[in-house]
Amino acid sequence: MNTRIGIIGTGVMGTAHAETISAHTARTEIVAICDPDESRAANVASRVNCPNVYTDPFELIGRADVDAVLVASPDETHFELASACIKAGKPVLCEKPLATNAVDCMRLVELGAATGRELVQVGFMRRFDPLYAELKEAFAKGVIGKALIVRCVHRNAVAPWFFVPGMSILNAMVHEIDICRWLLGTEFRRIRIDRIPEAKSDDPILATLETTAGGVVSIEVFMNAGYGYDIRTEIVGQEGVLVMGHPPMGSLVSTSAGYLPFPSDFRVRFADAYRIQFQAWIDAVVAGINVGASAWDGFVASFVAEAGLRSFTSGGWEEIVLPERISSTGVQKAAL
Ligand SMILES: NC(=O)c1ccc[n+]([C@@H]2O[C@H](COP(=O)([O-])OP(=O)(O)OC[C@H]3O[C@@H](n4cnc5c(N)ncnc54)[C@H](O)[C@@H]3O)[C@@H](O)[C@H]2O)c1
């Protein structure tokens, strides 16, 4: 039997996700779609052969024939909607960030733990990206030894319309925080975010994080870089270097006129990651397990990002002291 999905939010992400699920996710059907903008929801529904359109997300969550829910509405709706899914006992793939603040993320972790099931997966789709998977595999094999420095570059051509100051950290940098934890298998000890004197507010920014394993991670986030969507990660180890997404040597990389072709946005760069993420999520829902970033991972990303935001204001280092890990089976010792 197919897993029946309800999709909440039909903006940029929800529309792309509906199309990806409809075209590429096996053993699945989209049975309900919701957006307060009914015509937008209806338009997407007709394109993916979905019979039911809602303007109230709670009605969609309550439908008996919705087995699992994808939340792709704005950040500030995630807490309420993910809570409703957990209370209804329905698996939910919630777009990142899990909530707008770490306290609400922790409330979701606790709510999930009380059910004894891991119902939440956070949309950190990079964990399913083939290039990141290669990087993780090579690093885990020990080909470069211990990680000393990780360099991450996160550039968008233009920030999404809803971006306000702070979101380059709380909404965008959370991707880098999560993927570095996942790649390295370590937590962070402290964070400092430097302002760029010439920059407007928090774009671009440069973050430095120390890992609990003694390495340093540097993250640039530049949401209005102009020339395209450009994501790079480099792990410098004791015995070599692993590089993902670097331009060919000697090239002029770019202005908005462009020397090298960069995708215009994340939907192109991460098309495979989204496709693989949804199939993995559906298969996990059927198997009753969790394969992606859990509610706890969503909490940690937001907890570290909030420390980053404090550093952006204070200009100094902010310590990161995580609480004891809580999983769906209760309190556990911290582990990734
Ligand atoms: N994983 C990724 O790579 C990635 C990339 C971009 C955005 N996102 C996340 O996806 C989410 C959506 O971003 P977007 O760019 O699609 O935004 P968007 O503004 O394009 O779309 C949001 C949609 O949600 C609808 N909406 C608003 N309130 C709602 C509610 N209460 N219930 C149902 N629908 C509601 C809006 O009408 C709109 O259609 C954000 O949380 C964002 O952080 C993730």
Side-chain angles (χ1 to χ4, degrees):
M1 191 179 125
N2 285 341
T3 299
R4 299 162 300 181
I5 299 182
I7 298 181
I8 299 178
T10 52
V12 172
M13 267 346 259
T15 300
H17 287 343
E19 285 167 353
T20 301
I21 290 170
S22 165
H24 301 292
T25 310
R27 301 171 294 284
T28 305
E29 60 189 299
I30 303 170
V31 293
I33 286 186
C34 168
D35 199 293
D37 182 334
E38 193 169 6
S39 64
R40 189 182 294 170
N43 183 291
V44 176
S46 73
R47 298 214 309 265
V48 299
N49 293 321
C50 166
N52 301 294
V53 171
Y54 286 88
T55 53
D56 179 349
F58 299 101
E59 276 185 43
L60 178 148
I61 294 167
R63 272 186 77 102
D65 65 353
V66 166
D67 301 319
V69 179
L70 167 62
V71 173
S73 45
D75 299 3
E76 61 274 17
T77 66
H78 293 182
F79 171 71
E80 228 185 2
L81 297 175
S83 297
C85 291
I86 296 170
K87 286 176 187 161
K90 298 197 177 181
V92 54
L93 196 161
C94 181
E95 263 303 349
K96 59 79 208 172
L98 178 56
T100 51
N101 60 74
V103 168
D104 280 352
C105 290
M106 181 50 93
R107 287 164 70 196
L108 289 171
V109 169
E110 288 169 347
L111 205 54
T115 69
R117 295 165 66 194
E118 194 70 77
L119 290 169
V120 177
Q121 182 171 324
V122 184
F124 285 129
M125 78 297 175
R126 293 182 184 192
R127 292 179 177 225
F128 300 94
D129 179 65
L131 295 181
Y132 276 114
E134 256 181 63
L135 205 57
K136 182 173 171 70
E137 194 187 337
F139 178 67
K141 273 189 195 150
V143 294
I144 60 162
K146 204 173 167 225
L148 301 175
I149 300 170
V150 180
R151 281 203 188 83
C152 303
V153 167
H154 179 127
R155 299 188 192 131
N156 283 54
V158 186
W161 67 272
F162 51 80
F163 257 55
V164 294
M167 284 183 101
S168 64
I169 301 167
L170 300 177
N171 178 288
M173 203 175 81
V174 286
H175 265 309
E176 305 298 334
I177 293 168
D178 182 69
I179 205 66
C180 287
R181 289 180 68 233
W182 181 78
L183 283 171
L184 302 175
T186 61
E187 298 291 1
F188 295 114
R189 214 164 60 80
R190 58 181 190 156
I191 181 169
R192 198 190 72 229
I193 295 193
D194 290 321
R195 291 167 185 263
I196 310 300
E198 277 290 310
K200 277 193 198 148
S201 180
D202 62 343
D203 191 45
I205 48 160
L206 205 49
T208 307
L209 299 96
E210 288 179 3
T211 73
T212 49
V216 171
V217 173
S218 151
I219 302 172
E220 172 200 318
V221 178
F222 191 5
M223 296 303 299
N224 291 285
Y227 66 91
Y229 186 65
D230 188 2
I231 300 294
R232 308 180 200 180
T233 301
E234 179 180 50
I235 308 177
V236 183
Q238 285 170 327
E239 291 149 41
V241 176
L242 294 168
V243 185
M244 186 202 74
H246 71 112
M249 288 287 284
S251 294
L252 282 172
V253 179
S254 145
T255 67
S256 41
Y259 290 99
L260 281 178
F262 281 89
S264 56
D265 69 36
F266 39 83
R267 287 168 296 185
V268 180
R269 163 64 183 88
F270 286 114
D272 285 343
Y274 294 122
R275 187 176 49 71
I276 297 166
Q277 166 184 254
F278 289 125
Q279 193 63 63
W281 175 53
I282 291 303
D283 293 347
V285 164
V286 171
I289 57 172
N290 176 284
V291 291
S294 63
W296 174 260
D297 296 316
F299 160 73
V300 175
S302 291
F303 188 81
V304 174
E306 275 184 2
L309 194 59
R310 288 197 298 278
S311 165
F312 181 70
T313 306
S314 71
W317 286 99
E318 291 289 334
E319 301 299 314
I320 297 163
V321 183
L322 287 172
E324 209 172 356
R325 181 179 176 141
I326 299 174
S327 78
S328 57
T329 48
V331 176
Q332 294 180 346
K333 202 165 172 288
L336 290 170

